[in-house]
Each structure stands twice: as C-alpha cells, then as structure tokens.
Amino acid sequence: MITIKTILGHGGVCPFQLDALTDDNRRIYGRYRHGYLRVYIGKDGDLSEDGAVDGDLLFRKDMGKPFDGCMSLEEFKDETKSEIDWSEAVDEYGPSREAFIIKLKAQ
C-alpha cells in the first residue's frame, strides 16, 4: 500500500485533480473526469511537476456518469483507500506549496 505524507494541491471541477507526495518522496497525480478516477505514481526520485502525470497507473475506477468530474478531497480519499493510506497525510495546499517543493528538493 502507498502512504501519502503530503497533499500539495487538490480541487477543481471536471476534472477534480490531486497532487501529493508519498512517504518515500514519489509524486502522485490523481484525476477524476468523465466518470473515470485515475491515480498515477511517479518514478523514484522524480519530483518534477509532470513526474506523476507521466508515471505508472496506480489505481483506476470507472464510476459515475459520462460527464461526472466533481469530487471532494474526502470522497477521493474514500474511493482510493483500498490502495492508498491517507492516515499520515498533511494538507500543505495553499500559498506555501511552491516553497514546500523547493525545500523538499533541497534536502
């Protein structure tokens, strides 16, 4: 099971999107659009913005109607809990997001 330690960003409508980091510093990209929920994971050590977008498919669920794309963070967590552990996740979303990524890359 993948453990999320930091949520870097989330929100939007059609699609709902999520950007996060795992406990082993891999990027996660989640997207819910057109009734399809997908979660991708980036390669080890790739913290670039597109690292997870171009990564491996971690989770997939076809749900909702063809034009569905609205989801809250809590709904996203609930739908992915079979593959993703959210218990340690800290939501860093907001103005400090870029500063947090810069700090992480400097480590």
Side-chain angles (χ1 to χ4, degrees), residues 13-91:
V13 176
C14 212
F16 170 86
Q17 297 180 85
L18 175 118
D19 184 20
L21 286 174
T22 65
D23 61 345
D24 61 351
N25 287 329
R26 296 171 73 188
R27 258 338 239 269
I28 294 285
Y29 173 69
R31 179 181 176 98
Y32 178 57
R33 184 172 185 176
H34 297 300
Y36 301 113
L37 177 60
R38 304 287 185 267
V39 180
Y40 298 89
I41 188 164
K43 304 289 184 221
D44 193 23
D46 183 0
L47 294 175
S48 68
E49 285 285 326
D50 293 332
V53 173
D54 298 329
D56 297 324
L57 183 65
L58 175 67
F59 178 85
R60 148 188 181 176
K61 185 173 185 180
D62 298 344
M63 52 188 274
K65 297 178 182 173
F67 296 107
D68 282 352
C70 300
M71 180 175 281
S72 70
L73 177 59
E74 292 309 313
E75 289 170 317
F76 189 91
K77 288 178 180 181
D78 190 54
E79 293 295 338
T80 59
K81 66 185 177 188
S82 65
E83 298 292 325
I84 300 173
D85 176 8
W86 297 94
S87 64
E88 299 175 22
V90 175
D91 190 351

